[in-house]
Amino acid sequence: MSSVSRCVALALLTFVPATATAGEPDASAPRMAAVMEFELIDDMRDYERPEVKDAQNRRIGLISDELRQALHQRGMYRIVDNYAAEDLISGLKARQDLRDCNGCEIDIGRALGADVIIIGWVQKVSNLILNINIEVKEVSSGRMLYVKSVDLRSNSDNSWLRGIRFMVNSIEEKKQHLR
């Protein structure tokens, strides 16, 4: 075999593996996640002052944003913008909580082009006892990938944020985002 033939053969061998994977998705890229706003289950709602309710509603937005931001910044998920399905989301939430909607969250995930959908809620038993929960489901199959829960012993911005950060640390440590 001449040196020119060897160079051509080597060039072809080098080229073939590169083209074999050119059309395939990048397996190392984080999956697309739709993170819904947290919901609040408040067993004390009938007894609370308006300023307490306002603070909790603000905290719902605070931890929803914190979860999105932490998952994105750590490269665990690419977060989709929920705006494209805003009408669908608000219509469904007007009828029921997303955590109890019997699969409607999968429809939201599909509408947003997400690979996974994350539903979260805070259950408030009292001002001292709360817990934060998330469920992560695969949009293509509806299969539950993992569930997280953390208990809090204070109803403050700091404790709610600490709970979210604890969850994200646990997801990353256990590599659950790769499921």
Side-chain angles (χ1 to χ4, degrees):
M1 185 181 261
S2 72
S3 62
V4 172
S5 296
R6 280 188 216 137
C7 287
V8 169
L10 183 58
L12 285 174
L13 287 174
T14 305
F15 180 73
V16 171
T19 58
T21 60
E24 297 173 13
D26 182 4
S28 66
R31 291 185 291 172
M32 300 291 286
V35 180
M36 298 296 99
E37 287 290 309
F38 277 80
E39 297 172 344
L40 178 64
I41 303 169
D42 187 355
D43 296 339
M44 303 294 296
R45 73 181 157 269
D46 294 336
Y47 309 104
E48 297 198 314
R49 298 181 323 269
E51 60 271 13
V52 172
K53 290 179 182 180
D54 291 344
Q56 290 172 168
N57 288 334
R58 185 183 47 74
R59 285 184 193 117
I60 290 293
L62 182 69
I63 64 170
S64 299
D65 291 343
E66 180 69 19
L67 180 61
R68 287 182 190 101
Q69 188 175 61
L71 294 172
H72 171 73
Q73 285 178 343
R74 293 184 188 201
M76 296 162 70
Y77 292 105
R78 291 176 290 153
I79 306 301
V80 301
D81 184 353
N82 294 350
Y83 181 74
E86 184 178 344
D87 290 341
L88 174 62
I89 295 168
S90 57
L92 290 167
K93 286 180 100 170
R95 293 190 302 264
Q96 69 233 336
D97 292 326
L98 294 182
R99 70 181 183 283
D100 292 327
C101 69
N102 201 22
C104 73
E105 72 277 9
I106 300 303
D107 295 334
I108 295 168
R110 283 189 187 116
L112 292 170
D115 299 311
V116 300
I117 185 151
I118 302 174
I119 302 294
W121 65 95
V122 175
Q123 183 172 8
K124 180 180 177 194
V125 178
S126 70
N127 276 324
L128 181 61
I129 303 170
L130 302 96
N131 65 47
I132 301 175
N133 308 276
I134 62 169
E135 292 181 347
V136 180
K137 293 183 180 179
E138 183 177 58
V139 172
S140 63
S141 68
R143 179 175 64 103
M144 182 77 66
L145 298 176
Y146 59 94
V147 176
K148 292 300 226 189
S149 184
V150 64
D151 291 334
L152 309 177
R153 292 298 177 256
S154 171
N155 188 14
S156 67
D157 291 3
N158 192 38
S159 67
W160 287 40
L161 288 169
R162 193 171 47 244
I164 290 297
R165 292 173 187 140
F166 178 85
M167 278 185 170
V168 173
N169 287 341
S170 177
I171 293 166
E172 186 174 41
E173 179 183 302
K174 295 177 181 178
K175 300 189 184 320
Q176 291 173 305
H177 59 289
L178 300 175
R179 290 185 181 172

